[in-house]
Amino acid sequence: MSPLPNPLPDAEAQCRQLADLIRPQLHHQPALLGIYSGGAWIAERLKELLGLPEDIGLIDVSFYRDDFAEKGLHPQVKPTVIPFDVEGRHIILVDDVLYTGRTTRAAINELFDYGRPASVAMAVLADRGGRELPIGATYCVWDVDLQDGQSLVLGKQDDGRLVWRLEHA
Amino acid sequence: MNIVIENGRVIDPKNGVDRNCSLFIADGKVAGLGDAPAGFVADQTIDATGCVVCPGLIDLGARLNSIEAELAAAVAGGVTSVVVPPDADPPLDEPELADRLVHRGAEIGKARVLPLGALTLGLKGERLSELAGLKKAGCVAFSQANKTVVDTEALLRAMEYAATFGFAIWLQPQDYWLARNGIAHEGEVASRLGLAGIPVAAETIAIGTIIQLVRDTGCRVHLTRISSAAGMALIQRARHDHLPITCDVGVHHLLLTENDIGYFNPHARFSPPLRAQNDRLALSAAAASGLAAVCSDHTPVGADDKLLPFGEAKPGATGLEVLLPLTLKWAEAAKVDLPTALARITASPAEVLGLPSGQLAVGAVADICVFDPEATWQLTPDALKSRGKNSPWLGYMMTGKVRTTLVAGRVVF
Amino acid sequence: MHNPQLNKDGELIHLLSIEGLPQRILTQILDTAASFMEVSAREVKKVPLLRGKSVFNLFFENSTRTRTTFEIAAKRLSADVINLDINKSSASKGETLLDTIDNLCAMHANLFVVRHASSGAPYLIAEHLQSIGRDDVHVVNAGDGRHAHPTQGLLDMYTIRHYKKDFTQLRVAIVGDILHSRVARSDIHALTTLGVPEVRAIGPETLLPKHLDKLGVHVFHDMEEGLKDVDVIIMLRLQNERMTGALLPSAGEYFRHYGLTPQKLALAKPDAIVMHPGPMNRGVEIHSAVADGSQAVILPQVTFGIAVRMAVMSIVAGN
């Protein structure tokens, strides 16, 4: 784990690095599944960078989260859209930051309600540690240490560029 | 027992008295006002500092389901005479029943019980009860409570018969057909909330019918619990024509409207229903001018019958212990002075009944209410002696508290 | 007056009526329903949101259709569903409504779906739950007397949004027995809250409540006038069981003046949609050719209904 650099890294460059990590596995014909919203943007980049023919899937985990009792339903739920058949495919789940692992767990549960994949891999730009479940990133370009109350958020600028920003609780 | 009530503001609306002075009671009657009568020695002194001393309130409509609790509630509310509608179970259609009621009331020795006899047997609106027999047993007039006599011929004959003896008939004007499916005033609120409505026409058609029959028979009629502006206007015209018609208004209808139904509050279900603001203002004007007397229409309803969906809840609210504070509340909002407001619940009801009570002249029976017009108290179930805890004012602060009540010169509260 | 449907943070805790709900909550429900449409389209039509929760269907008034859609919706949320058909005949009277509620709360109910013949019954239940401190129990109104049928109103709005997209440009006509219709009242409140500029009510005087104009509705007694250039037609069922007294001479006369025939439909916009909450009385309020025609969206309404009810239950159960 390295401390937080200043300025924050270039997210677009990190997407290119992530694509480089995945490229050797393309013979499995993986399907990309981006977790809203950061993961969805990154998955779009990866599709272009890797030249994948098929539309990416988009997944909203609101209905599978484990904190419904405390937090209720998220006020803005987006529809999950998986345009390919999950059965027997190698799926790459894409997200911006991997933290406790709970979002990934929810995404995997939801994915399995669509069918039985051949395998599921996890691709993230940033891994900030702090895991509360035994979940790991298969592909990751940045290990980073954050303090309590800090969070890394991926945003999309008006010109379409993906940029990191730091938020304090 | 000789009693003197001193330091109070004595208000006797009937006789135009409103001054700070002492009131002397002897042999159950008012013996003097201001100066002690010759040779008067007080056995008991009541200090009425900061209080109003007025005639005991006369309530033209109070149901006494459990008679002991309700008569205790009456005097706690400063009410010394209650007129009881005949719709208890069984209805008061036999002289024996009236006799028993009057005697039980006397035994309990709190507020006076003035029963209304059932005009027809079983209140069915078909055959006449023994009116003369009921009168002899103590009924002050005859009534159908809030049931309608549908058969107009039967009503005509009843009025002719009553007129023969000079008896008065009390009727709540409501057309049976127009009211039978309704649960609320047919207006904006009922439209919005999907409640079956009772149009104003239900009241005005009935009043029109009754007025015509009074013209033809000369029978004295008292119309109870008027709810609409149009209804009041018809009564105004009838009085102008010198017809023997009087009326009253329930105190809740002076203060509340259909809007108080809110989110289907069953405590706002009344019969007749709470109507629109312009109706309320007309009722208020009628009470202010003296066209209408004011009463409580006390109707105790248990939680099992009240905490139900609006259309299933029994209509009515507890009234004996709130008649005074609600009348004061109305008077303040309507800018009516205190003596006039008190007249509506003392002298005016006495006039409707044709009784000499409701006043404090020397020689009058000493039915007296002493109350603090500034004292506030919260309306909670525990604060009420009545078994009826049903009220749209639950939790609200009331202004006006009775300190002492006397009936026939005896302290009963 | 505090709206019992919202908690102190303005979140929806009960769905009792559309009246009084801000636009953002209606929009939230419609957006969430869109996600649930997607769930209903896949192989495993379940999400674990209400797993372990008990949904009690309290139907004091019979309705197999509505109860079934609520049951399906609750099961797709992984909830346990218990159906109680409490008949309102005097033979089964004894326990008061509130005593029934207390008993069911003691059985760990989490959500009550309530249909009742008396307007306001769900409010009584919601107030009672608050007074006994059970803020973990939620109420969804499945229809109370003539007052409201909020989930139907919402699914009607979902349908309109699906086909017409923008509420703010529409003319919507509601035809039929509005006086006795809880669906109509809910539709009217939803349409005005969502910004529909022209809401019309079409029917004979005896079937329209007085003061309809105070709710923002234009009243028409002539159906041909009323249908001119409308984008959405909502037909109401002529409710035999609700009518008492001399409101209408006959179903035949009603159909002649207020039935939706292909000729009358042609007066509306060519792409107008025809909706109906069901069940339909063919030949009374709607001609079969219209009911089975291309402009009718009556069956999709049913599908949307399941997603909307899933959305409503998920939202209230989480707050």
Side-chain angles (χ1 to χ4, degrees):
Chain A
M1 288 282 155
S2 43
L4 198 57
N6 189 1
L8 294 170
D10 177 357
E12 295 286 354
Q14 287 179 320
C15 286
R16 289 192 288 275
Q17 290 166 6
L18 191 58
D20 289 340
L21 288 178
I22 295 173
R23 199 163 284 113
Q25 302 305 318
L26 283 182
H27 59 279
H28 288 304
Q29 284 164 330
L32 296 175
L33 190 52
I35 302 177
Y36 284 116
S37 321
W41 296 325
I42 299 168
E44 268 172 37
R45 289 285 181 279
L46 291 176
K47 170 185 149 74
E48 284 158 33
L49 292 166
L50 295 169
L52 294 175
E54 143 189 85
D55 286 336
I56 59 171
L58 300 164
I59 189 167
D60 183 303
V61 300
S62 299
F63 301 149
Y64 289 79
R65 295 177 64 93
D66 61 10
D67 57 1
F68 180 69
E70 292 90 50
K71 301 234 180 93
L73 194 60
H74 193 274
Q76 269 147 350
V77 178
K78 300 195 213 19
T80 293
V81 181
I82 304 189
F84 45 81
D85 188 358
V86 166
E87 198 71 22
R89 292 294 299 268
H90 296 275
I91 307 283
I92 302 181
L93 272 179
V94 185
D95 206 356
D96 44 10
V97 181
L98 180 56
Y99 182 20
T100 61
R102 291 178 190 272
T103 303
T104 310
R105 196 273 321 156
I108 295 174
N109 273 59
E110 182 162 0
L111 174 59
F112 271 71
D113 275 347
Y114 282 82
R116 186 176 182 277
S119 71
V120 181
M122 182 85 207
V124 287
L125 290 186
D127 180 344
R128 64 173 285 190
R131 217 74 82 233
E132 291 172 3
L133 295 173
I135 299 236
T138 324
Y139 310 103
C140 174
V141 299
W142 182 28
D143 288 317
V144 62
D145 233 333
L146 292 174
Q147 289 159 14
D148 285 337
Q150 280 184 324
S151 54
L152 268 175
V153 178
L154 191 69
K156 202 184 220 188
Q157 285 181 315
D158 290 332
D159 60 3
R161 279 183 68 82
L162 298 177
V163 288
W164 285 114
R165 65 176 188 279
L166 192 64
E167 278 183 6
H168 298 267
Chain B
M1 174 117 138
N2 287 2
I3 303 178
V4 60
I5 305 176
E6 56 187 24
N7 304 323
R9 175 183 170 191
V10 176
I11 301 183
D12 178 6
K14 180 150 187 199
N15 299 307
V17 173
D18 181 1
R19 63 187 168 111
N20 288 321
C21 66
S22 297
L23 184 80
F24 301 88
I25 299 164
D27 294 324
K29 297 200 173 59
V30 176
L33 215 62
D35 296 314
F40 184 93
V41 176
D43 300 308
Q44 184 184 352
T45 306
I46 296 174
D47 181 8
T49 307
C51 290
V52 168
V53 181
C54 70
L57 309 187
I58 300 174
D59 196 340
L60 294 180
R63 291 174 169 81
L64 304 180
N65 300 6
S66 33
I67 189 170
E68 276 184 51
E70 304 313 323
L71 290 181
V75 293
V79 175
T80 52
S81 299
V82 288
V83 177
V84 186
D87 59 355
D89 185 18
L92 209 81
D93 58 2
E94 277 169 29
E96 204 181 287
L97 294 170
D99 204 66
R100 232 182 280 162
L101 179 59
V102 171
H103 270 98
R104 186 83 186 93
E107 234 170 40
I108 293 171
K110 293 211 162 103
R112 296 172 197 277
V113 174
L114 307 176
L116 291 172
L119 182 65
T120 58
L121 289 176
L123 291 171
K124 291 212 183 103
E126 294 161 4
R127 295 179 48 208
L128 274 182
S129 313
E130 287 184 12
L131 301 193
L134 285 165
K135 188 83 207 272
K136 194 147 174 236
C139 290
V140 295
F142 302 93
S143 157
Q144 282 285 112
N146 50 15
K147 294 188 179 9
T148 313
V149 178
V150 181
D151 183 342
T152 34
E153 197 198 353
L155 184 58
L156 172 62
R157 302 295 165 227
M159 286 169 73
E160 281 177 340
Y161 188 75
T164 312
F165 295 91
F167 296 155
I169 299 185
W170 291 30
L171 297 168
Q172 185 160 317
Q174 187 156 265
D175 181 73
Y176 173 77
W177 306 104
L178 291 175
R180 73 192 152 132
N181 292 317
I183 57 180
H185 166 60
E186 183 162 275
E188 272 184 57
V189 172
S191 281
R192 196 164 47 79
L193 296 184
L195 300 174
I198 303 177
V200 165
E203 185 167 279
T204 52
I205 285 177
I207 292 177
T209 302
I210 293 167
I211 287 177
Q212 184 59 56
L213 294 178
V214 167
R215 271 189 219 281
D216 292 347
T217 61
C219 177
R220 202 155 70 69
V221 167
H222 176 72
L223 294 170
T224 60
R225 318 305 116 83
I226 304 303
S227 69
S228 71
M232 225 18 126
L234 287 175
I235 296 169
Q236 173 95 348
R237 233 168 296 149
R239 303 264 315 166
H240 187 260
D241 293 346
H242 303 293
L243 292 178
I245 291 180
T246 51
C247 71
D248 69 54
V249 165
V251 71
H252 287 92
H253 287 68
L254 289 178
L255 293 162
L256 303 173
T257 66
E258 55 179 348
N259 291 310
D260 291 289
I261 293 177
Y263 291 114
F264 303 95
N265 184 1
H267 289 296
R269 177 141 188 227
F270 286 88
S271 174
L274 297 170
R275 295 197 186 272
Q277 175 73 332
N278 70 299
D279 294 305
R280 185 185 76 77
L281 292 173
L283 301 178
S284 177
S289 72
L291 176 60
V294 176
C295 70
S296 75
D297 203 30
H298 178 73
T299 305
V301 178
D304 280 353
D305 290 319
K306 202 52 155 167
L307 291 183
L308 293 171
F310 191 85
E312 296 171 36
K314 270 217 181 108
T318 199
L320 285 168
E321 290 158 278
V322 295
L323 176 60
L324 178 64
L326 291 182
T327 302
L328 297 179
K329 191 178 168 71
W330 158 71
E332 195 188 319
K335 309 229 190 320
V336 168
D337 62 64
L338 186 55
T340 308
L342 291 176
R344 295 299 162 259
I345 47 181
T346 55
S348 304
E351 208 179 301
V352 167
L353 290 162
L355 293 176
S357 44
Q359 58 170 318
L360 297 175
V362 172
V365 169
D367 288 353
I368 296 171
C369 168
V370 179
F371 71 90
D372 181 345
E374 312 280 313
T376 57
W377 54 285
Q378 192 180 28
L379 184 62
T380 61
D382 292 330
L384 296 172
K385 287 191 156 50
S386 166
R387 293 268 174 86
K389 313 291 185 189
N390 47 312
S391 174
W393 305 99
L394 276 174
Y396 281 73
M397 295 303 292
M398 299 275 115
T399 303
K401 189 144 190 32
V402 174
R403 295 279 176 235
T404 300
T405 307
L406 294 92
V407 171
R410 260 178 324 109
V411 173
V412 291
F413 175 76
Chain C
M1 211 176 304
H2 163 68
N3 189 335
Q5 305 189 74
L6 305 176
N7 64 13
K8 55 178 169 47
D9 299 319
E11 296 166 328
L12 195 68
I13 49 173
H14 304 296
L15 181 64
L16 306 176
S17 164
I18 301 212
E19 192 184 6
L21 292 182
Q23 189 187 63
R24 66 173 165 84
I25 288 192
L26 299 191
T27 308
Q28 181 197 359
I29 295 172
L30 297 181
D31 290 342
T32 309
S35 296
F36 282 118
M37 279 300 297
E38 188 284 314
V39 168
S40 296
R42 51 179 206 198
E43 199 54 51
V44 174
K45 298 179 192 344
K46 248 191 219 278
V47 296
L49 266 179
L50 295 190
R51 201 162 68 94
K53 301 265 197 275
S54 298
V55 172
F56 282 71
N57 276 332
L58 284 181
F59 277 59
F60 293 85
E61 222 185 35
N62 274 330
S63 165
T64 317
R65 298 163 57 94
T66 307
R67 207 196 66 205
T68 307
T69 59
F70 271 103
E71 187 172 346
I72 293 173
K75 284 182 170 161
R76 289 196 182 161
L77 295 170
S78 304
D80 296 322
V81 179
I82 295 95
N83 288 313
L84 289 158
D85 272 327
I86 302 170
N87 216 309
K88 264 210 75 208
S89 74
S90 47
S92 55
K93 234 184 220 180
E95 198 175 51
T96 65
L97 173 58
L98 296 183
D99 278 341
T100 305
I101 297 296
D102 285 343
N103 277 315
L104 295 175
C105 284
M107 293 184 216
H108 307 295
N110 298 105
L111 198 145
F112 292 116
V113 176
V114 182
R115 169 166 283 198
H116 200 287
S118 288
S119 300
Y123 280 84
L124 187 72
I125 296 174
E127 300 275 351
H128 178 68
L129 290 170
Q130 203 206 14
S131 72
I132 59 172
R134 293 300 298 265
D135 57 3
D136 57 323
V137 184
H138 307 274
V139 181
V140 173
N141 182 6
D144 64 325
R146 300 178 194 178
H147 170 237
H149 194 353
T151 58
Q152 181 72 41
L154 287 164
L155 77 88
D156 286 347
M157 296 308 110
Y158 188 93
T159 307
I160 295 174
R161 192 170 85 159
H162 179 87
Y163 290 99
K164 296 291 172 187
K165 309 288 180 261
D166 184 3
F167 288 107
T168 63
Q169 306 291 327
L170 298 179
R171 278 197 191 89
V172 178
I174 304 176
V175 184
D177 182 3
I178 294 169
L179 177 61
H180 299 95
S181 171
R182 51 193 172 214
V183 173
R185 281 183 176 78
S186 287
D187 280 339
I188 289 169
H189 290 305
L191 291 166
T192 51
T193 306
L194 289 167
V196 170
E198 170 117 2
V199 180
R200 299 181 182 178
I202 304 174
E205 189 77 44
T206 46
L207 295 184
L208 299 181
K210 315 265 180 290
H211 308 286
L212 209 47
D213 51 316
K214 299 268 176 10
L215 298 179
V217 176
H218 298 141
V219 173
F220 289 79
H221 296 306
D222 182 331
M223 190 174 184
E224 289 174 5
E225 266 298 305
L227 285 182
K228 272 204 199 117
D229 297 328
V230 301
D231 301 284
V232 177
I233 305 171
I234 301 177
M235 299 302 299
L236 298 176
R237 192 163 72 92
L238 197 59
Q239 315 204 36
N240 295 309
E241 73 271 12
R242 294 224 196 282
M243 286 192 295
T244 49
L247 291 166
L248 285 182
S250 70
E253 184 154 296
Y254 180 81
F255 184 67
R256 279 190 287 281
H257 282 97
Y258 297 102
L260 187 60
T261 58
Q263 295 79 5
K264 295 220 190 90
L265 179 56
L267 296 166
K269 290 232 182 80
D271 61 348
I273 55 173
V274 176
M275 294 167 52
H276 193 303
M280 289 187 286
N281 285 331
R282 289 166 182 265
V284 177
E285 69 260 3
I286 190 166
H287 192 289
S288 279
V290 175
D292 301 326
S294 58
Q295 290 171 261
V297 299
I298 299 168
L299 290 175
Q301 276 177 277
V302 178
T303 314
F304 299 149
I306 297 177
V308 165
R309 284 162 180 143
M310 288 172 78
V312 167
M313 287 194 275
S314 318
I315 292 171
V316 299
N319 283 332

